[in-house]
């Protein structure tokens, strides 16, 4: 299926192949544009100011990298003050792969601290603004990644990351394409952990081609990550050429009828699903009854894991340093008090509580059981259908002041579309489903394990 | 007074690399923090990958302790803030350990094994300018961080400190036979002991190294707890530290209950499935255990069971030494006799283990060969062995100067001298008193400092006797 959306990446690669493009000052020109975008929308925490001075020939395709993914020699803060001076001594596997394919990293993109947020407003270094309307949020936690992608007038692919919907949410809010791969499909080596059993590195692109191209570079087995899948490397841009005839799409009623789903979002998503009949796809309503427990289970598991992951940031080996007074416990507390933002502290406390004696069985262990049940329901559904379609987000991109008025629980409830597939480790893609009042809505397709190909074909069909 | 003791033994496993990374687990002769990498230092973004060999060594230990081995095991995170852990959590095992419910026979006693699990060793803290409570500052050496440990937990089946010590000695012997633990590698074996007296609260004494110290720490605790009760105080549940300088225990912190570590499954490490086939291949590659070895020694070398037990139980390396000697000198009973009665004595006198000693099988057997060749007497060999164990110089070389000094001519002179000095005895012998010849031989030997073949000396005496 040929997309109607022009891919700057594809154009650039074709011109490179035809030797129509000179790379001599390509990187500096890209950096100039990136700085202009930074001025307007603040999507970056760190821009690589040294670009253009070294290894000129290899600098063929610009990438941005979410700031919780380690880049050798380039500051990596995971969006947190506590890591404000952290410069990793190694590249994440995905960064190494991008670089060896001729890509270069223009900068590190803004995010909710450690991934803790749905709107990219829990940011230690300033929130990125939505290029569609700067009064509105980009979505989170990969907000900076989606922001650059939407704003870039140069070929660019964003390496993003999702734990519970952090690629889908910003892709939907900015009108970009976000691919969240199957858990384990992309190595997590070099990713600063939020919730290791759910963290997935993925991509955000201006269009499906870009997402497919970027994903092809970073997918694959990695012996450095014990949870990495041993699946073959594929060129997913080739997969896009296949059509979706005879594909059965499941439409789960629980996702459309949940509380708080904007009727306009619902309409746009339904219209998009029905439009796919043109290509020979069919759809049927399905039921995923455990969905209502997914968000609670997600937060219990994710925060239990997060509270252990963040323990290392105490000012001893990792994290900012401070005056040593009192014993080590006093010192660790003073560093953590100063270095972590409010949401990080909230999540550490919640996660610690959920795994403590007396609560562990009722929360952490119970959530693991819910997770197993949700996985079972999806498996059963995929016996019948080839993909599942839902809204990406229940709402359009909200304004900053609207987000500020939400309680934490109201914010967490915004994740209802994304927590279940992320708990199950299933791949998803979010692709624009149309606009209302100038604001994009996203449709999310959930695929069976390792079936990113079908998702990308569906996304491509949505672009026609 | 009734005493209940249960212990946890932490044994560094003899693997080439650490439990979750490729850093070397042998840091002999290395600088502090030389054997480290982003994984064992817990760098943000690093991930652990389990070392299969460590699990296999753990499986062997579990088999030797007659434990039930899990079909599926998980690693868990034990979270607590302490400066010896770069991540502030330790990767260990909690609800799904490698093995459970085993049994270890210790003479008449049967000690139940609660569980065997695998975990990572924390870094080593070096307290500078004092001990754990008084140091001015602390240095951290991460060479130890991430070395695989097997933790062996017993039920509280010990009733006396000396039983614990006997258990540990026998256990180490088993571990060394399995190749799971190598005492020569500066690998350490640390013990946490839980002790309660007269049904009181249990007190944990943590991080004791050395079997003798374990016994001392427990003896101290028994006295401390009973004197507290006598003076009307209550023994509280707490964690204590053993101070090897004063042979006492000191209170560290009130005991945190196990569940307070907030265990979760380590999400970086998939569950490990122990298939039947894997278990069988590990079981079939199990090295011989001490009891099997004793049986074989009796069978193969025709030595008595007691001698075999002394050799095997005292030290795995000593049993290796014995076998290597037998390969070079084919009179096993002689070898075992010399090892048990003389070599061990010299080693004990120097407080050395065979692995630390300069004694080597190839040189040790020279001693026995020299006796056979008539070059030295048994009695001289028994003296020579001390010098040999002290210096490691080959017995042939040690005896050489004496042998050279005892050339035929020298011996002739000594004998002539002895005969002249003992004219009475010569006279008696001539008159048919055979015992006098033995007397003269003794005199010659005392002149030669017990060197020379008595038979040869006897012949020479007869030859040189004045007619």
């Amino acid at each position: 299926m040929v997309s109607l959306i022009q891919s700057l990446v594809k154009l650039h690669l074709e011109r490179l192949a035809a030797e129509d493009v000179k790379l001599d000052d390509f990187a500096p020109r890209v950096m100039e544009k990136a700085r202009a975008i930074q001025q307007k929308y603040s999507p970056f925490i760190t821009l690589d100011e040294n670009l253009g001075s070294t290894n000129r020939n290899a600098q063929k395709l610009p990438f941005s990298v979410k700031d919780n993914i380690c880049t050798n020699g380039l500051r990596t803060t995971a969006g947190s003050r506590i890591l404000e001076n952290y410069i990793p001594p190694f590249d994440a596997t995905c960064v190494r792969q991008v670089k060896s394919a001729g890509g270069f990293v223009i900068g590190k993109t803004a995010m909710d601290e450690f991934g803790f947020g749905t709107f990219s407003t829990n940011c230690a270094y300033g929130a990125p603004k939505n290029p569609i309307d700067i009064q509105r949020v980009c979505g989170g936690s990969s907000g900076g990644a989606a922001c650059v992608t939407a704003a870039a007038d140069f070929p660019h692919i964003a390496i993003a990351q999702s734990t519970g919907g952090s690629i889908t949410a910003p892709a939907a809010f900015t009108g970009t394409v976000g691919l969240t791969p199957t858990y384990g499909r992309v190595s997590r080596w070099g990713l600063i952990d939020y919730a290791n059993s759910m963290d997935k590195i993925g991509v955000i692109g201006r269009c499906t081609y870009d997402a497919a191209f970027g994903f092809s570079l970073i997918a694959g087995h990695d012996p450095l990550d014990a949870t990495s899948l041993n699946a073959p490397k594929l060129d997913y841009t080739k997969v896009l050429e296949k059509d979706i005839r005879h594909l059965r799409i499941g439409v789960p009623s629980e996702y459309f009828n949940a509380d708080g789903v904007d009727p306009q979002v619902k309409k746009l998503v339904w219209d998009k699903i029905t439009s796919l009949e043109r290509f020979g796809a069919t759809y049927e309503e399905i039921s995923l009854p455990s969905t209502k427990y997914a968000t609670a289970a997600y937060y219990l598991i994710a925060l239990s894991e997060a509270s252990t992951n963040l323990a290392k940031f105490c000012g001893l080996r990792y994290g900012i340093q401070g005056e040593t007074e009192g014993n080590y416990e006093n010192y660790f507390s003073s560093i953590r008090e100063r270095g972590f933002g409010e949401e990080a502290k909230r999540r550490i406390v919640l996660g610690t509580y959920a795994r403590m004696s007396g609560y562990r069985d009722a929360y952490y262990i119970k959530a693991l059981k819910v997770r197993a049940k949700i996985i079972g329901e999806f498996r059963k559904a995929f016996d019948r259908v080839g993909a599942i379609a839902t809204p990406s987000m229940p709402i359009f991109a909200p304004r900053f002041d609207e987000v500020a008025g939400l309680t934490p629980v109201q914010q967490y409830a915004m994740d209802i579309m994304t927590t279940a597939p992320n708990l199950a480790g299933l791949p998803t893609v979010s692709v624009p489903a149309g606009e209302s009042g100038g604001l994009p809505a996203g449709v999310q397709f959930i695929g069976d394990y390792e079936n990113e190909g079908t998702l990308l074909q569906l996304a491509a069909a949505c672009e026609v | 007074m009734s005493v209940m003791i249960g212990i946890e033994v932490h044994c560094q496993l003899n693997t080439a690399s650490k439990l979750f990374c490729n850093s070397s687990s042998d840091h002999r002769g290395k600088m502090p923090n030389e054997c480290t990498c982003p994984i064992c230092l817990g760098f943000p973004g690093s991930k652990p990958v389990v070392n299969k060999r460590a699990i296999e060594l753990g499986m062997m230990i579990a088999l030797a302790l007659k434990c039930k081995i899990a079909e599926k095991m998980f690693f868990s995170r034990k979270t607590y803030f302490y400066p010896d852990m770069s991540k502030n959590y330790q990767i260990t095992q909690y609800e799904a350990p490698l093995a459970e419910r085993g049994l270890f026979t210790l003479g008449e006693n049967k000690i139940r094994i609660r569980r065997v699990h695998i975990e990572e060793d924390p870094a080593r803290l070096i307290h500078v300018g004092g001990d754990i409570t008084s140091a001015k500052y602390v240095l951290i050496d991460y060479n130890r961080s991430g070395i695989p440990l097997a933790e062996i937990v017993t039920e509280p089946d010990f009733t006396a400190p000396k039983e614990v010590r006997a258990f540990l000695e026998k256990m180490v012997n088993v571990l060394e036979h399995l190749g799971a633990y190598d005492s020569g590698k500066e690998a350490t074996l640390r013990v946490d002991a839980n002790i309660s007296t007269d049904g009181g609260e249990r007190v944990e004494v943590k991080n004791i190294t050395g079997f003798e110290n374990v016994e001392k720490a427990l003896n101290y605790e028994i006295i401390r707890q009973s004197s507290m009760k006598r003076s009307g105080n209550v023994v509280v549940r707490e964690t204590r530290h053993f101070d090897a300088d004063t042979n006492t225990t000191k209170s560290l912190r009130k005991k945190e209950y196990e569940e307070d570590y907030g265990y979760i499954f380590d999400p970086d490490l998939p569950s490990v499935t122990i298939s039947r086939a894997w278990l069988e291949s590990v079981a079939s590659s199990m090295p011989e255990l001490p009891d099997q070895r004793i049986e074989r020694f009796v069978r193969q070398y025709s030595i008595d069971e007691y001698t075999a037990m002394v050799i095997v139980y005292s030290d795995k390396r000593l049993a290796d030494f014995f076998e290597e000697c037998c390969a070079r000198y084919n009179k096993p009973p002689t070898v075992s006799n010399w090892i048990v009665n003389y070599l061990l004595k010299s080693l004990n006198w120097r407080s050395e283990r065979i692995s630390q000693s300069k004694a080597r099988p190839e040189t040790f057997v020279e001693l026995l060969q020299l006796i056979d060749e008539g070059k030295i007497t048994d009695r001289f060999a028994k003296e020579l062995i001390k010098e040999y164990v002290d210096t490691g110089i080959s017995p042939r070389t040690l005896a050489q100067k004496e042998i050279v000094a005892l050339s035929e001519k020298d011996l002739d002179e000594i004998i002539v001298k002895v005969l002249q000095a003992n004219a009475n005895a010569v006279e008696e012998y001539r008159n048919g008193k055979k015992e006098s010849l033995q007397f003269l031989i003794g005199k010659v030997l005392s002149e030669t400092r017990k060197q020379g073949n008595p038979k040869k000396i006897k012949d020479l005496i007869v030859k040189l006797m004045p007619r």
Side-chain angles (χ1 to χ4, degrees):
Chain A
M1 231 156 295
V2 178
S3 169
L4 298 180
I5 297 170
Q6 191 195 42
S7 165
L8 295 178
V9 169
K10 192 169 182 228
L11 198 68
H12 178 69
L13 293 172
E14 283 164 2
R15 290 183 59 206
L16 272 176
E19 296 178 23
D20 283 354
V21 61
K22 285 205 174 66
L23 287 172
D24 286 359
D25 62 345
F26 179 62
R29 276 191 291 124
V30 165
M31 289 311 294
E32 203 171 299
K33 291 178 173 190
R35 277 190 289 271
I37 291 171
Q38 175 69 352
Q39 282 283 315
K40 276 195 197 148
Y41 311 118
S42 311
F44 292 103
I45 293 174
T46 308
L47 277 165
D48 190 349
E49 300 297 344
N50 296 323
L51 264 180
S53 58
T54 54
N55 206 8
R56 204 164 279 241
N57 288 333
Q59 293 166 359
K60 288 177 185 164
L61 183 61
F63 282 80
S64 64
V65 175
K66 188 176 178 179
D67 204 32
N68 56 354
I69 298 169
C70 289
T71 41
N72 190 2
L74 186 62
R75 184 172 76 132
T76 299
T77 72
S80 180
R81 199 51 78 185
I82 208 161
L83 282 173
E84 66 183 354
N85 300 316
Y86 184 62
I87 296 174
F90 56 86
D91 272 331
T93 297
C94 63
V95 172
R96 188 168 49 76
Q97 284 164 329
V98 158
K99 284 180 177 173
S100 67
F104 63 99
V105 178
I106 56 176
K108 306 302 293 292
T109 52
M111 56 183 290
D112 290 294
E113 182 174 9
F114 291 107
F116 299 157
T118 305
F119 303 106
S120 289
T121 50
N122 302 323
C123 298
Y125 304 91
K129 302 182 192 85
N130 195 322
I132 293 166
D133 172 358
I134 59 164
Q135 302 291 311
R136 292 179 189 272
V137 302
C138 289
S141 64
S142 307
C147 179
V148 192
T149 306
D153 51 353
F154 52 85
H156 157 264
I157 294 168
I159 304 296
Q161 175 272 339
S162 167
T163 305
S166 286
I167 289 177
T168 288
F173 286 171
T174 58
T176 52
V177 177
L179 177 69
T180 305
T182 308
Y183 178 77
R185 194 73 180 82
V186 177
S187 169
R188 292 184 299 112
W189 172 261
L191 172 68
I192 298 180
D193 311 302
Y194 165 5
N196 321 46
S197 72
M198 287 181 268
D199 292 344
K200 297 158 296 282
I201 291 175
V203 289
I204 297 178
R206 242 166 87 96
C207 60
T208 304
Y209 181 91
D210 297 5
F213 182 82
F215 177 54
S216 306
L217 293 183
I218 62 174
H221 180 251
D222 181 8
L224 292 175
D225 172 4
T227 61
S228 169
L229 292 171
N230 211 344
K233 260 185 118 56
L234 273 179
D235 181 352
Y236 284 91
T237 61
K238 297 281 190 297
V239 175
L240 294 184
E241 288 159 14
K242 289 187 193 148
D243 62 36
I244 54 168
R245 209 174 322 192
H246 309 306
L247 182 68
R248 284 149 74 103
I249 303 168
V251 184
S253 50
E254 289 83 1
Y255 285 73
F256 287 82
N257 301 331
D259 286 343
V261 183
D262 188 306
Q264 272 303 311
V265 169
K266 213 190 282 193
K267 183 178 180 305
L268 287 168
V269 172
W270 260 118
D271 288 350
K272 195 46 118 179
I273 295 167
T274 53
S275 79
L276 297 174
E277 283 184 306
R278 289 180 288 155
F279 305 108
T282 58
Y283 63 87
E284 62 184 76
E285 283 210 33
I286 60 166
S287 177
L288 297 167
S290 295
T291 303
K292 58 177 177 287
Y293 305 117
T295 302
Y298 164 78
Y299 275 95
L300 288 169
I301 295 169
L303 303 193
S304 294
E305 293 181 13
S307 62
T308 66
N309 288 323
L310 267 51
K312 70 174 68 167
F313 304 115
C314 63
L316 183 70
R317 286 195 60 83
Y318 309 107
I320 47 174
Q321 306 274 306
E323 290 296 311
T324 50
E325 266 175 53
N327 60 25
Y328 67 87
E329 282 168 333
N330 303 137
Y331 174 69
F332 291 174
S333 293
S334 73
I335 293 295
R336 290 162 71 80
E337 159 69 33
R338 199 149 57 79
F340 287 132
E342 190 189 342
E343 184 62 21
K345 287 174 188 159
R346 178 179 294 116
R347 294 195 183 200
I348 290 168
V349 171
L350 286 171
T352 305
Y353 182 82
R355 59 187 169 83
M356 276 296 131
S357 122
Y359 305 99
R360 188 175 181 268
D361 286 348
Y363 295 124
Y364 173 68
I365 298 290
K366 189 73 160 277
L368 292 177
K369 288 177 183 158
V370 171
R371 180 184 203 170
K373 200 170 159 66
I374 287 170
I375 291 170
E377 276 182 18
F378 274 120
R379 280 192 186 278
K380 240 173 88 186
F382 284 115
D383 288 342
R384 290 183 54 77
V385 299
I388 293 167
T390 75
S392 296
M393 290 299 285
I395 56 169
F396 294 98
R399 291 194 311 273
F400 283 99
D401 60 327
E402 290 170 335
V403 172
L406 296 174
T407 65
V409 172
Q410 285 170 322
Q411 292 197 17
Y412 298 169
M414 293 295 174
D415 298 336
I416 45 171
M417 305 295 171
T418 52
T419 46
N422 277 284
L423 265 176
L426 292 165
T428 63
V429 70
S430 175
V431 63
E435 300 182 346
S436 174
L439 296 175
V443 54
Q444 168 178 262
F445 295 105
I446 306 167
D448 203 353
Y449 294 105
E450 297 181 37
N451 199 0
E452 289 85 357
T454 297
L455 298 183
L456 290 165
Q457 287 155 16
L458 277 163
C462 288
E463 291 175 347
V464 177
Chain B
M1 187 174 63
S2 79
V3 176
M4 270 171 87
I5 304 169
I7 60 168
E8 295 167 18
V9 184
H10 302 256
C11 155
Q12 283 188 345
L13 291 173
N14 183 22
T15 53
S17 57
K18 291 185 179 179
L19 184 51
F20 298 115
C21 64
N22 288 328
S23 296
S24 171
S25 57
D26 181 0
H27 50 260
R28 275 177 298 182
K30 296 285 169 58
M31 294 289 288
N33 296 306
E34 195 179 332
C35 305
T36 58
C37 75
I39 298 168
C40 55
L41 291 173
F43 268 66
S46 69
K47 308 277 180 278
V49 176
V50 72
N51 177 346
K52 204 175 150 200
R53 182 67 190 153
I55 296 178
E56 290 182 345
L57 291 177
M59 284 157 75
M60 285 186 192
I61 293 173
L63 286 169
L65 300 180
K66 300 182 177 65
C67 290
K68 190 172 154 21
I69 294 177
E71 286 168 19
K72 205 176 196 183
M73 60 161 226
F74 290 88
F75 284 100
S76 292
R77 291 179 176 182
K78 176 180 183 175
T79 309
Y80 59 99
F81 287 85
Y82 202 68
D84 66 357
M85 290 193 303
S86 59
K87 306 186 291 291
N88 281 324
Y89 63 78
Q90 180 193 26
I91 305 178
T92 175
Q93 296 193 286
Y94 183 55
E95 56 242 275
L98 171 65
E100 294 179 283
R101 282 179 288 132
L103 203 65
F104 194 73
T105 310
L106 190 66
E108 298 289 289
N109 295 342
K110 296 223 185 299
I111 305 299
R112 288 169 301 157
I113 306 296
R114 185 178 293 170
R115 58 189 268 148
V116 176
H117 74 241
I118 308 290
E119 63 184 24
E120 58 175 346
D121 208 348
R124 193 163 73 93
L125 298 182
I126 298 138
H127 298 94
V128 181
D131 68 3
I132 191 166
T133 52
S134 64
K136 285 195 181 66
Y137 60 96
V138 176
L139 297 173
I140 308 177
D141 181 2
Y142 290 92
N143 280 351
R144 203 180 76 182
S145 172
I147 289 182
L149 296 178
E151 180 173 325
I152 301 160
V153 184
T154 75
E155 297 290 346
D157 289 352
F158 301 98
T159 54
K162 65 176 193 306
E163 288 174 13
V164 175
R165 182 169 177 177
F167 171 86
L168 289 169
E169 279 167 358
K170 195 170 175 196
M171 172 74 73
V172 163
N173 198 255
V174 169
L175 296 176
E176 291 220 64
H177 271 88
L178 290 173
Y181 172 73
D182 182 356
S183 60
K185 232 170 148 185
E186 290 175 22
T188 57
L189 203 110
R190 297 192 299 278
V191 176
D192 297 344
N194 282 289
I195 173 165
S196 76
T197 50
D198 289 332
E201 282 285 0
R202 79 183 150 96
V203 169
E204 184 176 27
V205 186
K206 269 188 118 62
N207 255 326
I208 322 169
T209 38
F211 304 156
E212 208 184 332
N213 286 341
V214 173
E215 197 178 353
K216 281 182 189 162
L218 290 170
N219 279 326
Y220 176 83
E221 265 305 300
I222 292 172
I223 294 163
R224 186 187 71 87
Q225 293 185 17
S226 62
S227 73
M228 276 190 75
K229 280 170 190 164
R230 259 202 314 276
S231 58
N233 292 307
V234 178
V235 174
V236 293
R237 186 169 173 176
E238 63 177 344
T239 298
R240 297 179 72 86
H241 162 78
F242 177 68
D243 183 342
D245 294 332
T246 59
N247 289 331
T248 58
T249 66
K250 289 180 184 172
S251 182
L252 270 188
R253 55 187 146 110
K254 299 300 161 211
K255 174 76 181 156
E256 290 169 34
Y257 287 76
E258 190 73 347
E259 291 80 7
D260 279 354
Y261 293 121
Y263 287 95
I264 62 166
F265 294 103
D266 193 310
D268 279 331
L269 293 159
S271 66
V272 178
T273 302
I274 299 171
S275 66
R276 233 194 144 67
W278 189 19
L279 189 58
E280 275 165 14
S281 92
V282 169
S284 67
S285 70
M286 284 260 283
E288 191 180 39
L289 290 167
D291 290 346
Q292 298 167 323
R293 196 172 200 184
I294 289 164
E295 266 177 46
R296 180 169 62 81
F297 276 13
V298 171
R299 216 171 45 237
Q300 180 181 340
Y301 298 115
S302 309
I303 62 174
D304 63 276
E305 195 184 355
Y306 174 78
T307 307
M309 281 167 70
V310 171
I311 291 175
V312 174
Y313 283 149
S314 73
D315 188 345
K316 188 236 174 199
R317 300 301 185 86
L318 191 71
D320 295 344
F321 187 92
F322 166 71
E323 294 208 74
E324 284 169 46
C325 289
C326 289
R328 291 176 163 82
Y329 179 86
N330 195 20
K331 291 182 192 162
T334 309
V335 175
S336 65
N337 174 41
W338 277 83
I339 287 179
V340 170
N341 292 317
Y342 307 109
L343 177 62
L344 264 183
K345 203 181 287 172
S346 297
L347 290 173
N348 290 343
W349 190 76
R350 294 174 58 84
S351 305
E352 246 178 19
R353 291 163 64 93
I354 188 75
S355 54
Q356 300 162 311
S357 164
K358 294 187 179 116
R360 297 284 176 274
E362 55 273 25
T363 47
F364 183 73
V365 295
E366 282 181 11
L367 204 64
L368 310 181
Q369 287 161 346
L370 285 169
I371 299 169
D372 284 358
E373 290 163 14
K375 299 227 168 80
I376 59 174
T377 61
D378 272 26
R379 282 171 71 186
F380 183 58
K382 284 166 201 169
E383 284 192 2
L384 205 60
I385 198 167
K386 289 178 204 137
E387 195 179 348
Y388 164 62
V389 171
D390 281 346
T391 63
I393 297 170
S394 106
R396 218 172 264 285
T397 310
L398 285 177
Q400 195 65 42
K401 39 188 179 193
E402 310 289 354
I403 294 166
V404 169
L406 267 177
S407 65
E408 300 272 324
K409 189 168 159 283
D410 291 343
L411 195 57
D412 284 1
E413 278 173 16
I414 289 170
I415 290 171
V416 168
K417 225 167 74 190
V418 166
L419 292 180
Q420 281 169 359
N422 297 280
N424 286 346
V426 173
E427 197 56 39
E428 282 167 19
Y429 175 70
R430 279 204 181 126
N431 295 336
K433 195 176 173 196
K434 299 279 178 211
E435 293 81 4
S436 297
L437 186 56
Q438 286 307 317
F439 170 79
L440 289 168
I441 294 168
K443 282 286 172 193
V444 173
L445 279 173
S446 87
E447 285 294 314
T448 64
R449 291 193 289 135
K450 300 185 188 72
Q451 303 168 59
N453 182 342
K455 190 177 175 301
K456 194 173 163 195
I457 291 170
K458 181 184 152 201
D459 292 348
L460 278 172
I461 289 174
V462 174
K463 195 179 117 193
L464 294 172
M465 209 170 269
R467 309 267 159 200

